[in-house]
């Protein structure tokens, strides 16, 4: 699965505690090696809104959430 990151994501990730950064990196590796979100094995929730045809999800990493377009 192709995963892209924004510059803002990198800045916010750098501000998080080291243990959370490692957990996020683990999640990102799972996403990159998976065929799709459903088979990745991450804890995610599809988010309503965003208009017709758009798919957004929220991935839980401990007390933190990663939001993204699917």
């Amino acid at each position: 699965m192709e995963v892209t990151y924004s510059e803002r994501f990198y800045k916010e990730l750098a501000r998080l505690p080291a243990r959370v950064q490692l957990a996020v990196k683990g999640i990102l590796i799972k996403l990159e090696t998976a065929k799709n979100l459903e088979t990745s094995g991450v804890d995610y929730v599809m988010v309503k809104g965003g208009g017709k045809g758009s798919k957004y999800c929220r991935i839980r990493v401990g007390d933190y959430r990663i939001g993204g377009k699917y």
Side-chain angles (χ1 to χ4, degrees), residues 1-5 9 23-44 57-61 66-70:
M1 182 167 133
E2 182 181 343
V3 180
T4 58
Y5 315 98
F9 173 79
V24 169
K25 289 178 184 177
I27 296 279
L28 297 176
I29 290 170
K30 283 184 178 180
L31 290 173
E32 290 173 349
T33 57
K35 286 187 174 185
N36 56 39
L37 188 60
E38 291 81 17
T39 62
S40 65
V42 300
D43 185 11
Y44 75 95
C57 67
R58 181 179 67 219
I59 300 171
R60 184 186 337 194
V61 182
I66 303 171
K69 194 174 185 181
Y70 173 62

Side-chain angles (χ1 to χ4, degrees), residues 4-11:
T4 58
Y5 315 98
S6 67
E7 188 176 323
R8 180 178 176 184
F9 173 79
Y10 287 117
K11 287 181 181 180

